[in-house]
């Protein structure tokens, strides 16, 4: 970018008096990304005045985001989560495919305020997959397409820092359970849920192979494990799914394997870069 372009864009952003408003969070995220991309230019000794302007703009945008985060947390504590869910879905800017993160993840980071769990307290065993959060737009897509509602119980198998169960509870009023191998992750998730006043979310520090699945109606797996661990958990889910109707939602590489389970079916095309929603038929009729 030339010096002129840089000045022009800084001028335009500085003049934009609506940039602080609540509904401009995507534009702020875009502007903050742009400021991040300028770091190498701004750390140059001669950048002086431009660096100061960029710094002031960043502080202004971050203040607006912090204010919005506080307002959304208060709205969630007051039980207005489902209305926020509808708004986030309507404001969704287009295709959701892909594993990248976007402005919605940044917005929700300011809402859920998940802290760093520090070094892993319990080493993962072979076939267990390390923590990586589901991009928020996919989590919301899963909640909508599984039609999760207040009578449901969502179980996230390998729940990491817990944002999927928390979003399920906030957005739909469903009960939600997170089962996670790492006790340190579970501690972070419990603290965050408590701070948001989410009483219907529970986090269990447990191996998913030992989890009691009997209360769940919708199960979510963002490829938390592979191989024999996945096989054991799918067998346990099949035992549930042949007794009663359940849904199994998946994201990432495990989708391909879950799609081969003959006790599950789906009406939609199955793709690895979007959540798949499978149904189990329930008790056999013969
Ligand atoms: C890819 S992350 C998914 C996190 C979360 N479900 C989400 O979508 O944001 C996988 C998580 O599964 C956990 N995990 C791996 N093996 C597990 C097991 N056997 N039982 C419970 N959790 C496990 C990991 O510690 C990690 O946090």
């Amino acid at each position: 970018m030339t010096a002129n372009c840089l000045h022009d864009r800084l001028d335009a952003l500085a003049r934009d008096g609506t940039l602080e408003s609540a509904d401009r969070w995507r534009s702020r995220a875009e502007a903050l990304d742009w400021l991040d991309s300028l770091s190498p230019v701004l750390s140059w000794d001669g950048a002086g005045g431009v660096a100061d302007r960029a710094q002031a703009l960043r502080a202004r945008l971050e203040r607006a985001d912090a204010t919005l985060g506080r307002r959304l947390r208060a709205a969630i504590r007051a039980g207005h989560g489902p209305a926020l869910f509808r708004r986030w879905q309507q404001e969704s800017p287009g295709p959701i495919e892909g594993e990248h993160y976007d402005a919605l993840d940044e917005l929700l980071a300011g809402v859920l305020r998940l802290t760093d769990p520090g070094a892993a307290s319990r080493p993962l065993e072979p076939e267990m997959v390390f923590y990586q959060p589901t991009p928020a737009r996919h989590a919301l897509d899963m909640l909508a397409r599984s039609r999760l509602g207040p009578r449901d119980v969502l179980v996230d198998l390998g729940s990491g820092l817990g944002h999927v169960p928390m979003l399920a509870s906030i957005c739909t009023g469903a009960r939600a359970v997170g089962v996670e191998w790492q006790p340190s992750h579970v501690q972070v998730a419990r603290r965050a849920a408590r701070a948001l006043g989410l009483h219907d979310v529970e986090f269990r520090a447990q191996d998913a192979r030992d989890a009691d699945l009997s209360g769940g109606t919708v199960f979510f797996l963002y490829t938390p494990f592979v191989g024999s661990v996945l096989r054991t958990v799918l067998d346990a889910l099949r035992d549930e799914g042949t007794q009663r109707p359940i849904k199994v939602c998946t994201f990432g590489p495990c989708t391909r394997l879950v799609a081969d389970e003959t006790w599950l079916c789906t009406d939609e095309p199955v793709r690895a870069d979007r959540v798949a929603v499978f149904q189990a038929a329930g008790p056999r009729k013969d």
Side-chain angles (χ1 to χ4, degrees):
M1 170 174 281
T2 65
N4 276 351
C5 289
L6 197 156
H7 279 285
D8 287 351
R9 183 143 187 214
L10 274 176
D11 285 345
L13 290 167
R15 272 198 311 269
D16 185 346
T18 66
L19 205 51
E20 270 113 327
S21 64
D23 60 350
R24 296 286 310 278
W25 53 274
R26 280 190 193 276
S27 310
R28 286 197 294 278
E30 212 175 273
L32 283 166
D33 280 350
W34 176 65
L35 290 172
D36 284 345
S37 75
L38 291 182
S39 300
V41 182
L42 299 181
S43 57
W44 169 61
D45 276 351
V50 187
D52 290 347
R53 289 183 65 205
Q55 191 50 40
L57 174 62
R58 172 183 294 285
R60 188 184 141 210
L61 299 175
E62 287 177 346
R63 261 197 313 276
D65 281 344
T67 304
L68 177 59
R70 277 194 299 276
R71 278 175 49 187
L72 292 175
R73 286 171 67 81
I76 288 165
R77 278 195 220 95
H80 302 314
L84 295 176
F85 178 40
R86 284 190 293 277
R87 198 184 319 152
W88 288 330
Q89 279 193 306
Q90 282 157 9
E91 288 172 357
S92 175
I96 62 169
E97 286 80 4
E99 293 199 48
H100 60 280
Y101 298 96
D102 67 17
L104 184 60
D105 295 286
E106 288 173 39
L107 176 78
L108 289 175
V111 173
L112 301 180
R113 292 200 195 151
L114 300 171
T115 52
D116 182 351
S121 49
R122 189 182 184 196
L124 292 176
E125 289 182 3
E127 304 186 324
M128 294 185 180
V129 177
F130 60 89
Y131 175 63
Q132 189 171 329
T134 301
R137 68 188 179 290
H138 287 292
L140 299 192
D141 181 44
M142 185 269 290
L143 300 180
R145 285 176 41 237
S146 67
R147 299 179 194 279
L148 196 81
R151 289 163 181 266
D152 281 307
V153 179
L154 174 99
V155 180
D156 184 5
L157 293 165
S159 52
L161 298 182
H163 76 282
V164 173
M166 282 190 258
L167 284 175
S169 165
I170 291 168
C171 295
T172 72
R175 269 200 58 215
V177 178
V179 176
E180 169 55 45
W181 173 265
Q182 288 291 349
S184 53
H185 290 39
V186 167
Q187 264 183 25
V188 169
R190 283 182 185 152
R191 225 179 289 132
R194 233 185 351 257
L196 279 169
L198 304 177
H199 304 297
D200 275 341
V201 184
E202 185 192 335
F203 292 102
R204 301 178 188 155
Q206 205 179 20
D207 185 337
R209 287 171 291 188
D210 301 329
D212 174 6
L213 306 178
S214 63
T217 60
V218 178
F219 296 86
F220 179 58
L221 297 98
Y222 176 19
T223 313
F225 23 72
V226 295
S228 64
V229 183
L230 180 60
R231 185 67 266 154
T232 304
V233 173
L234 284 175
D235 288 348
L237 285 170
R238 186 191 51 216
D239 290 348
E240 295 298 322
T242 46
Q243 293 172 45
R244 61 200 173 88
I246 61 169
K247 291 179 185 164
V248 177
C249 305
T250 60
F251 185 54
C254 76
T255 293
R256 200 169 32 82
L257 295 164
V258 175
D260 288 339
E261 296 292 296
T262 51
W263 55 280
L264 287 172
C265 60
T266 178
D267 310 331
E268 300 169 321
V270 170
R271 12 186 331 164
D273 59 357
R274 190 158 182 191
V275 167
V277 181
F278 300 96
Q279 284 96 29
R284 289 173 61 145
K285 307 250 167 19
D286 49 285

